Amino acid sequence: MTSTASLEKSYALAKEQYAAWGVDTDAAMERLKGIAISMQCWQGDDVGGFESTAGLSGGIMATGNYPGRARNAEELRADAEKAMSLIPGKHRFSLHAIYLEHGGKKVERNEVAPEHFQRWMDWAAERDIKLDFNPTFFSHPKSADGFTLSHRDPAIRRYWVEHGIACRKIGEAMGRRQGTPCVTNVWIPDGMKDVTVDRLGPREILKRSLDEVFAPQIDPKYNLDAVESKLFGIGSESYVVGSHEFYMGYAVANRKLLTLDAGHFHPTETIADKISSSLVFLDEILLHVSRGVRWDSDHVVILNDDLRAIAEEIIRGNFLNRVHIGLDFFDASINRVAAWVTGTRAMLKALLLALLEPTAKLVGAETAGDFTSRLALLEEIKTLPVGAVWDYYCQKCGVPVGPAWLDAVKQYEKQATSKRS
Ligand code: RNT
Ligand code: ZN
């Protein structure tokens, strides 16, 4: 354990070094404190949910069998609280429709209502956590043939439209209660495994369905609608109805939020450069920060170049009030609380790094056409003492400094998660 005195000493030195670059470390920490990351509930139980015990289906998969996943809402809330106690700042929590509490009664997806999330809302209000929401268009008999909102069967399509509307109303209830809008994100698995001939038909149906889902007017003060594209999934390798171009067009035409998931593009394609382009045409976007390893594998987010580039784009563009930062990973091969903490802390570190960038200096070199200085300075700032600022920030926020948080997770594992079967 680092002593408070040495933390402060290191911070003072770091502050001086950054000041020489024209960067105010106190101001950076203050801004970081105001950023709420939307933590995904589904990391806590491998996207299982509490609707039924039927497994995850719909082109996504959690792999691994590390013991201790949350088996019910109580456990999930306890685990999330543990994770949040080890992450600096105040963050949001993103729920999926399958995390309802139905009190033992079967609730159809098209009948989900705010009452099924009453306990979640009470829990969040007591802890001043703001909620986001997601309709669940997967893991269900009516999505088993790979189509939901773009289904050719009008009855099945209608069912899913009703689910979408029901979920927006839940989002509205959450937004009303918490005083900030709930972002409700629509992702559907619809697509085909093999060579697809009619690629237009399902897209026309999807457009019609989305129009119906979004038809009931809901005040954006309470609920914001987002649409998430994808390139391929397991079992939808050849064709995904809701592609990037489809939703980019839909979001622009209908003033919706576009969701950019880091794992939903070609393996070498990253989302950082899509942020400024999207925001020329859209008011706001949602990010699903994830880490694909060779495919859309949803590995835990780490502080790599991709993550840093995402954070840099948000900060350099001054987009903090237009970009909702959500996480989307679900690793079942390691301790799930540790996965949340690792990924969220990595996101925050990336943001801190970006906030500590002497952007004006770099832009100055760039606009002057001095690309030599731009490159040289970008390299030099990589080794500035960000670690001292991060440690000090954690300490100030009252969360463990450095790897000390891991001891807390191990302790919690011994007491709680390891006892679950
Ligand atoms: C799936 C999408 C979607 C899900 C969550 C659980 O490929 O990324 O966002 O991961 O809704
Ligand atoms: Zn996603």
Side-chain angles (χ1 to χ4, degrees):
M1 255 287 259
T2 328
S3 75
T4 306
S6 68
L7 273 176
E8 279 170 5
K9 218 152 97 194
S10 302
Y11 176 68
L13 290 170
K15 183 178 158 119
E16 214 177 283
Q17 235 176 305
Y18 277 106
W21 284 83
V23 173
D24 181 343
T25 49
D26 291 322
M29 289 189 296
E30 205 44 49
R31 283 184 78 194
L32 185 61
K33 209 157 178 190
I35 304 178
I37 307 295
S38 187
M39 293 170 64
Q40 75 290 28
C41 78
W42 52 94
Q43 166 57 62
D45 77 328
D46 318 336
V47 211
F50 313 125
E51 181 188 63
S52 73
T53 50
L56 174 61
S57 68
I60 54 177
M61 194 161 76
T63 57
N65 54 4
Y66 196 88
R69 74 172 177 84
R71 296 163 301 180
N72 52 54
E74 297 284 292
E75 288 179 353
L76 188 59
R77 282 191 278 267
D79 293 0
E81 269 177 55
K82 177 50 72 177
M84 285 175 170
S85 75
L86 305 171
I87 297 164
K90 193 88 214 153
H91 302 291
R92 302 174 68 95
F93 202 57
S94 184
L95 289 168
H96 239 285
I98 47 172
Y99 290 78
L100 81 172
E101 288 173 272
H102 50 42
K105 275 209 319 257
K106 184 174 160 50
V107 179
E108 281 293 336
R109 294 266 174 102
N110 60 351
E111 282 165 0
V112 289
E115 70 199 63
H116 303 121
F117 292 87
Q118 200 52 51
R119 286 168 72 184
W120 280 112
M121 287 191 259
D122 293 343
W123 171 78
E126 276 159 30
R127 286 155 189 81
D128 194 29
I129 297 165
K130 317 292 181 192
L131 299 172
D132 292 310
F133 201 59
N134 303 259
T136 311
F137 292 97
F138 52 84
S139 303
H140 192 275
K142 283 189 164 56
S143 65
D145 61 3
F147 286 86
T148 62
L149 289 179
S150 69
H151 211 289
R152 288 178 201 278
D153 177 335
I156 295 183
R157 189 180 80 82
R158 186 70 216 152
Y159 179 85
W160 289 114
V161 166
E162 286 169 8
H163 178 58
I165 294 171
C167 287
R168 293 179 66 230
K169 293 190 173 149
I170 295 169
E172 180 187 23
M174 290 175 170
R176 262 183 209 282
R177 173 109 188 243
Q178 66 198 14
T180 81
C182 166
V183 180
T184 298
N185 176 52
V186 170
W187 172 73
I188 60 166
D190 301 29
M192 299 242 197
K193 181 185 175 84
D194 220 331
V195 193
T196 306
V197 180
D198 178 11
R199 305 178 78 92
L200 173 64
R203 289 184 170 140
E204 288 177 330
I205 300 176
L206 176 56
K207 181 194 175 295
R208 199 160 11 106
S209 296
L210 291 170
D211 290 348
E212 290 169 22
V213 168
F214 297 131
Q217 291 295 318
I218 295 179
D219 194 331
K221 241 180 33 213
Y222 304 126
N223 182 71
L224 293 170
D225 302 305
V227 287
E228 180 178 4
S229 74
K230 187 159 170 166
L231 179 69
F232 76 93
I234 306 169
S236 61
E237 288 85 354
S238 301
Y239 173 65
V240 165
V241 183
S243 61
H244 175 60
E245 291 72 14
F246 177 91
Y247 280 125
M248 182 83 199
Y250 193 88
V252 170
N254 299 282
R255 310 316 299 163
K256 297 295 170 195
L257 275 70
L258 180 72
T259 303
L260 296 169
D261 182 309
H264 288 193
F265 295 88
H266 288 280
T268 56
E269 192 178 355
T270 58
I271 61 167
D273 190 41
K274 301 181 190 300
I275 296 171
S276 57
S277 295
S278 309
L279 289 175
V280 171
F281 298 98
L282 295 166
D283 302 324
E284 297 179 33
I285 59 173
L286 168 65
L287 300 183
H288 267 189
V289 182
S290 190
R291 178 168 58 106
V293 176
R294 303 194 190 284
W295 69 292
D296 180 27
S297 59
D298 291 287
H299 278 66
V300 177
V301 163
I302 55 172
L303 185 59
N304 58 15
D305 287 347
D306 285 353
L307 187 70
R308 291 194 57 179
I310 291 169
E312 285 164 0
E313 280 304 306
I314 298 172
I315 302 302
R316 289 175 183 167
N318 203 14
F319 293 140
L320 275 174
N321 52 355
R322 296 173 66 196
V323 176
H324 302 259
I325 307 172
L327 303 176
D328 187 7
F329 51 80
F330 34 99
D331 191 333
S333 75
I334 59 174
N335 181 297
R336 291 164 188 80
V337 175
W340 260 324
V341 178
T342 302
T344 314
R345 282 175 70 120
M347 184 73 243
L348 291 168
K349 279 184 209 163
L351 287 162
L352 178 61
L353 270 161
L355 288 163
L356 291 170
E357 182 187 81
T359 311
K361 229 187 201 82
L362 298 169
V363 173
E366 186 167 280
T367 44
D370 183 1
F371 304 141
T372 309
S373 298
R374 178 183 62 185
L375 186 66
L377 296 178
L378 276 169
E379 277 309 286
E380 283 309 314
I381 60 177
K382 282 183 180 165
T383 48
L384 285 175
V386 64
V389 182
W390 171 251
D391 286 350
Y392 183 70
Y393 178 69
C394 287
Q395 150 103 351
K396 271 205 349 172
C397 291
V399 304
V401 173
W405 65 264
L406 192 54
D407 300 336
V409 172
K410 298 272 181 195
Q411 181 69 22
Y412 185 67
E413 177 165 55
K414 220 156 116 196
Q415 284 169 355
T417 53
S418 69
K419 303 213 167 110
R420 299 174 190 162
S421 53

